[in-house]
Amino acid sequence: SEWADTFRRLSAGSSAEPGRWRTSKAPYQKEIMDAITDISIRKVVIMSAAQVGKTDAMVLNPIGYYVHYDPSPIMVIQPTIDMAEKFSKEKLSPMIRDTPVIAERINEKSRNSGNTIMQKIFPGGFVTIAGANSPTGLRSHTVRILLADEIDGYPASAGSEGDPLMLATKRQTTYWNKKQVSISTPTIKGASRIEVEYEHSSKGEWNTPCPCCGELQPLVWSGVVFEKENLNEINYVCSKCGVISSEAEWKEKFIDGKFIHEDPENPVKGFHLNTLASTLTTWREVVEKFLVANEEVKKGNVELMKVWINTEMGQTWEEDGETIEDEELIKRRENYNCEIPADVLYLTAGVDTQDDRFEVEVVGWGPEYESWGIKFAALYGDTGNIQDPVWDNLDAFLSQSFEKPDGSKLKIIVTCIDSGGHRTNQVYKF
């Protein structure tokens, strides 16, 4: 944050307020930026709403800091190659041009500098920009600083080579002082990368002091008070003292806000922000978008509300679906009283490959795709060594027969074994 306040210049055309950077305009950015450049922190996770200044504060400022103050090989990943090119042209190049200490180190005008749209070279390092859908870009460089932007937009696999974020992190293995920053607006609950990353972090939530009692608290949607017929006055009720204060009164106190971490000892520093905490937009805009989305929900269209939850509240969207109470499900258990029920026609097996074991499940299949769990086993050994007895144990397990109530026996007719990116050669040999 000190580097940005001293040296960073915002560009006309890519910023609503060009000129000198001021962290005080968005106080919640300070702790995040300082964590990104803290030598003792290896990984930073930011799950946030859209309008909080993520790109400038959490991608561009760290690039400027490392280029100028701590030269290092840097990689920035965007969801696609097209988005990577757009980021380079519309965000990175203007920062280089208009921030003098960066322009001195990255010469974009010289044809002999070796600089391209996707790579900027400077003394002591480089900035390479890659798309998560391009395996070539992800494995072509060894980097110390990894800035992974909008990770919920990444494909499940970069081509056929596996998870793009894991591919990129492998490029950092030689650095003792490596840094990974994962940033994203969340998407669907259960499928959101950033939600998983955040749940395994220190889980910091931005808290603001009440203008009346001074008690710190996160700003949540349930605390917003408004009348939809008159949006000129939008207030917030303190969860501690119950006093209702205006947006202006709350935002005056933002300078005294701070992140409170649920698991402060966690080495992965996580930060969560919603738009209510942003000084870059008004509460009226948030409320107006909610009212529009809510009208669409009444018509049976939830898509706008899904976007509002993701981009304004910085939360995952949970899809509606049928649910079953745990206790009711338990009561429906049946004892087979045999190895395989009479209606089973075929047996299949699935094998998950781990470093030290195989986990195998045998499933029985009947008419109309009805299925029964038949047998589960964990077979331990060194799966990386094709000569290890664990492979013979797996072969023996898959070769066994299972008996039906009438005495007839079935063998497993097909087995699927996980080989994607893990023990691939050994699995193919087997």
Side-chain angles (χ1 to χ4, degrees):
S1 62
E2 292 175 5
W3 180 91
D5 286 332
T6 306
F7 298 107
R8 176 75 196 280
R9 299 295 182 271
L10 294 168
S11 305
S14 61
S15 174
E17 295 185 34
R20 182 183 290 275
W21 173 275
R22 286 181 292 164
T23 304
S24 59
K25 288 181 65 68
Y28 51 82
Q29 295 174 344
K30 183 180 189 304
E31 185 179 337
I32 298 174
M33 285 193 287
D34 292 347
I36 291 173
T37 52
D38 186 332
I39 195 72
S40 67
I41 298 173
R42 289 278 184 90
K43 187 173 181 179
V44 177
V45 174
I46 303 118
M47 182 173 77
S48 80
Q51 308 249 356
V52 297
K54 293 198 301 289
T55 302
D56 271 311
M58 303 159 204
V59 181
L60 292 173
N61 283 351
I63 290 173
Y65 171 91
Y66 284 109
V67 169
H68 177 208
Y69 188 71
D70 187 9
S72 307
I74 305 165
M75 177 181 283
V76 181
I77 310 176
Q78 296 290 334
T80 66
I81 296 174
D82 288 344
M83 291 176 72
E85 289 184 1
K86 186 177 179 182
F87 166 82
S88 179
K89 293 175 182 177
E90 298 180 8
K91 299 290 185 180
L92 182 57
S93 286
M95 182 189 77
I96 295 170
R97 180 192 67 220
D98 296 329
T99 302
V101 294
I102 305 302
E104 290 171 4
R105 287 159 175 76
I106 299 178
N107 187 350
E108 289 206 292
K109 295 180 180 178
S110 171
R111 293 182 179 180
N112 299 323
S113 65
N115 288 315
T116 64
I117 293 173
M118 303 301 274
Q119 186 169 50
K120 314 296 181 184
I121 300 170
F122 56 89
F126 55 81
V127 182
T128 187
I129 306 110
N133 58 346
S134 170
T136 304
L138 297 175
R139 54 176 161 76
S140 57
H141 300 281
T142 300
V143 297
R144 176 189 160 205
I145 311 300
L146 177 63
L147 302 170
D149 196 15
E150 292 301 341
I151 66 172
D152 271 23
Y154 291 6
S157 178
S160 60
E161 298 195 20
D163 182 89
L165 201 51
M166 290 188 68
L167 282 177
T169 55
K170 286 180 180 178
R171 312 311 303 167
Q172 295 183 285
T173 52
T174 57
Y175 286 94
W176 67 268
N177 55 351
K178 60 189 174 185
K179 177 82 65 175
Q180 179 184 339
V181 182
S182 295
I183 310 164
S184 193
T185 301
T187 50
I188 305 297
K189 189 172 185 63
S192 171
R193 290 172 183 267
I194 198 68
E195 182 184 45
V196 173
E197 297 268 11
Y198 180 75
E199 288 297 321
H200 290 85
S201 73
S202 63
K203 298 174 73 171
E205 189 77 42
W206 177 252
N207 280 244
T208 304
C210 167
C212 184
C213 70
E215 287 289 319
L216 284 165
Q217 58 202 278
L219 296 176
V220 295
W221 177 243
S222 59
V224 178
V225 180
F226 64 91
E227 294 180 12
K228 63 181 180 179
E229 294 78 17
N230 178 21
L231 297 183
N232 291 323
E233 186 177 342
I234 298 174
N235 299 300
Y236 191 89
V237 58
C238 174
S239 63
K240 309 292 183 180
C241 69
V243 171
I244 297 176
S245 305
S246 69
E247 177 180 1
E249 289 171 319
W250 277 94
K251 288 191 172 180
E252 281 178 8
K253 295 292 183 180
F254 276 15
I255 196 70
D256 299 317
K258 68 175 184 176
F259 282 95
I260 294 179
H261 296 262
E262 186 179 312
D263 180 15
E265 300 304 314
N266 195 310
V268 178
K269 294 303 170 190
F271 302 91
H272 176 252
L273 287 162
N274 63 35
T275 311
L276 297 175
S278 176
T279 53
L280 308 179
T281 187
T282 65
W283 289 357
R284 177 168 181 157
E285 292 175 70
V286 180
V287 172
E288 286 175 341
K289 290 175 184 176
F290 169 78
L291 293 174
V292 171
N294 200 44
E295 286 302 312
E296 288 298 306
V297 170
K298 292 176 183 177
K299 299 174 187 176
N301 176 18
V302 300
E303 291 306 310
L304 279 182
M305 186 59 77
K306 184 188 297 186
V307 171
W308 185 84
I309 290 289
N310 293 161
T311 61
E312 302 297 331
M313 293 298 102
Q315 297 172 341
T316 52
W317 170 265
E318 190 163 7
E319 299 281 8
D320 287 336
E322 293 184 10
T323 58
I324 298 175
E325 291 293 331
D326 294 351
E327 291 183 9
E328 289 300 312
L329 191 60
I330 289 289
K331 290 176 184 176
R332 290 173 55 186
R333 289 182 301 171
E334 299 174 4
N335 193 328
Y336 299 164
N337 291 317
C338 56
E339 272 198 304
I340 49 177
D343 288 341
V344 171
L345 302 177
Y346 303 105
L347 296 176
T348 64
V351 184
D352 183 37
T353 309
Q354 300 288 337
D355 287 340
D356 63 344
R357 68 191 184 283
F358 296 112
E359 296 199 355
V360 193
E361 184 188 18
V362 180
V363 178
W365 298 91
E368 301 299 323
Y369 299 103
E370 186 173 4
S371 65
W372 295 261
I374 303 300
K375 191 170 185 178
F376 170 82
L379 309 175
Y380 286 86
D382 179 9
T383 60
N385 178 9
I386 195 66
Q387 304 300 325
D388 192 276
V390 71
W391 289 96
D392 292 331
N393 295 339
L394 177 61
D395 188 51
F397 182 92
L398 298 173
S399 301
Q400 66 182 302
S401 298
F402 296 83
E403 189 170 344
K404 299 181 76 169
D406 63 3
S408 61
K409 294 185 177 181
L410 294 180
K411 297 179 81 69
I412 297 166
I413 62 162
V414 64
T415 297
C416 295
I417 305 183
D418 164 35
S419 68
H422 192 76
R423 307 299 196 218
T424 306
N425 293 335
Q426 294 87 337
V427 169
Y428 286 173
K429 286 178 183 176
F430 177 72

